[in-house]
Amino acid sequence: MCGFVTLWHAGDEALARDMVARLSHRGPDATEVTALAGAPVVMAHSRLAIIGPDDGRQPINQGDDMLVVNGEIYNHEDLRAILGADEFESASDSETILHLFRTGAGRWISRLDGMFAFVLATPGRIVAARDPLGIKPLYMARHGEGLIFASELKAFDGMGLVDIEAIAPGSLYDSARGHRQWYRIPHGAAEAEPGLDVTATARELRLVLVEAVQKWMVADVEVGSFLSGGLDSSIIAALAARSRARAGKTPLKTFAVGTEGSPDLMAARKVAAHIGSDHHEHAFTPADIADVLPHVIYHLESADIDLVRSAIPTHFAAKLARRQVKAVLTGEGADELFAGYTYHHGYVDDPRALADELTRSLGTMHNINLQRVDRVTMAESLEARTPFLDRDLIDFAQSVPASLKLCRTDADAAEATGPTTEKWILRKACADLLPHDLVWRKKAQFDEGSGTVDALQEALRMITGTTGPIGRDVEGAVYERFLRQAYREPDMVLDNAGTWEADRVRRPAA
């Protein structure tokens, strides 16, 4: 996991070094700046060593080609065997991208399985691409006749650039051929076909989940897991704990945060005891929130109220985890795949509309929840991994009818007429992993279950010097003020930031 900058017909090593310095939190293990011989290209890279820590230095400079990568390629060993191990000069998973590109295959990039953003340069050509859902960030700016690429917007701050865009998830930019969408999210199924074996569907989902977690734990360093006590992170942690136990490794390290006595801390303790993890927790206070809020907003690159609220517990969890590990698993993506948000309940009688909404929301994760997870964890030099967003799991989950994700049912029968239950098929698939009351516990947003909402109110009163409830208008103004104070060009950041409410279709709750 890393941060990088690439200049193409756009500057020199001094500029690249200045830009990548603002991304040093993404990769504290090493920083290198390299110019490509015979080409107007400079690349800078700050590295967090996860795979191939001894010989995975970047930029990767081989022959006439140079490459910088942020992320992980989980099928790199399979690709290495197919491409020929003798072609490789390092143990780094990132080098796989270079050799796939050199095959000249039309859809070479589709063979990469993981989370990634990269820029690859040859003397007369530059290629930049991003993983299917945009788990890892990548921005491109036009600078005169050239292009500048960077992992975060803050790298561009103060440069006066007006033409900045995010490389879209699942897309590739080629200076020789333009933009291309190499991955499209499969559209979700709506109603179950007659005769569908629901039990078999849940069983298959479980198998796909197991494989995804095992795949996303591949690393040359220890991988821990966030554990909020909610369904999603608990499932991931339970599967990861089993995987480590089967491999004869030490217990999984889990990390939970919240205010003292909050529901999340209590639930996480119960889950940790059940799965036998090496559990760590931290209780934060309103004063702690007031202290870290400017830092969180600067790194989040957004003043959106809902994102800031959820970023606060993420920050404390990341700081806690980084004392023990370099990488963690998270439960991000389950709500979008399996209908886990409160507003989804309004779709319970319209599976087609629900399937459409889930597909839409998957396509917008990159500039809301995935931006939060990436920026806030990387601010603490911690790699966050999202097994629910594994490509194989996305494909399978989108084939599961929406009517099995959100339905009027209880814990025992898919055809019951009880209260609306979100993520029903996911709960059924993982019912044996966790205590019954936790499997069927109603969802609470991370900022609610952790106690952040109430503590944040008190923190905002400290910041504003006022008493009484703080409304969303005042709250939003505080966040924007902090962002504007942090950047020389705050409008550049605000203009490129996503918002939770954007394009979201809400219906009255059922």
Side-chain angles (χ1 to χ4, degrees), residues 297-375:
I297 289 172
Y298 169 72
H299 282 287
L300 181 62
E301 298 187 331
S302 173
D304 180 75
I305 292 173
D306 296 294
L307 286 188
V308 173
R309 286 181 177 183
S310 57
I312 291 166
T314 304
H315 161 79
F316 289 114
K319 281 191 73 70
L320 175 65
R322 189 59 179 90
R323 297 173 194 153
Q324 302 281 335
V325 297
K326 276 188 171 183
V328 291
L329 305 176
T330 83
E332 216 64 47
D335 290 324
E336 287 78 6
L337 284 174
F338 297 103
Y341 292 117
T342 301
Y343 83 93
H344 288 148
H345 286 258
Y347 291 89
V348 67
D349 296 319
D350 192 347
R352 178 69 271 159
L354 176 61
D356 293 345
E357 171 59 12
L358 296 179
T359 303
R360 183 209 63 79
S361 63
L362 281 168
T364 64
M365 287 191 72
H366 64 283
N367 63 355
I368 44 175
N369 278 344
L370 290 178
Q371 175 168 321
R372 167 183 55 82
V373 171
D374 172 82
R375 302 298 194 283

Side-chain angles (χ1 to χ4, degrees), residues 141-355:
R142 301 193 180 276
H143 184 57
E145 297 299 313
L147 296 171
I148 302 179
F149 300 87
S151 297
E152 297 185 15
L153 289 166
K154 56 181 61 66
F156 300 116
D157 192 30
M159 296 180 63
L161 302 172
V162 295
D163 191 359
I164 300 173
E165 63 180 283
I167 298 292
S171 75
L172 177 149
Y173 172 79
D174 186 335
S175 61
R177 300 171 185 172
H179 288 279
R180 166 182 149 216
Q181 194 73 29
W182 65 270
Y183 176 85
R184 297 185 186 279
I185 297 170
H187 209 86
E191 295 274 11
E193 297 178 1
L196 176 68
D197 187 332
V198 176
T199 299
T201 300
R203 191 163 50 242
E204 192 68 19
L205 172 58
R206 171 68 166 271
L207 293 174
V208 180
L209 267 167
V210 169
E211 289 188 351
V213 170
Q214 290 175 342
K215 183 194 305 182
W216 287 61
M217 291 182 74
V218 171
D220 292 329
V221 298
E222 185 176 1
V223 178
S225 186
F226 283 167
L227 181 58
S228 71
L231 179 69
D232 310 333
S233 65
S234 296
I235 287 173
I236 296 299
L239 292 174
R242 289 190 174 193
S243 178
R244 287 187 66 86
R246 282 194 298 268
K249 297 181 178 180
T250 57
L252 175 77
K253 289 184 172 68
T254 53
F255 307 95
V257 299
T259 56
E260 193 66 48
S262 62
D264 276 6
L265 282 183
M266 299 306 211
R269 287 175 198 168
K270 188 172 183 178
V271 173
H274 185 80
I275 67 175
S277 67
D278 177 7
H279 192 56
H280 305 262
E281 64 179 46
H282 169 72
F284 55 82
T285 67
D288 294 332
I289 294 175
D291 286 343
V292 304
L293 200 51
H295 169 86
V296 169
I297 289 172
Y298 169 72
H299 282 287
L300 181 62
E301 298 187 331
S302 173
D304 180 75
I305 292 173
D306 296 294
L307 286 188
V308 173
R309 286 181 177 183
S310 57
I312 291 166
T314 304
H315 161 79
F316 289 114
K319 281 191 73 70
L320 175 65
R322 189 59 179 90
R323 297 173 194 153
Q324 302 281 335
V325 297
K326 276 188 171 183
V328 291
L329 305 176
T330 83
E332 216 64 47
D335 290 324
E336 287 78 6
L337 284 174
F338 297 103
Y341 292 117
T342 301
Y343 83 93
H344 288 148
H345 286 258
Y347 291 89
V348 67
D349 296 319
D350 192 347
R352 178 69 271 159
L354 176 61

Side-chain angles (χ1 to χ4, degrees), residues 120 411 502 504:
L120 191 158
R504 192 170 297 276

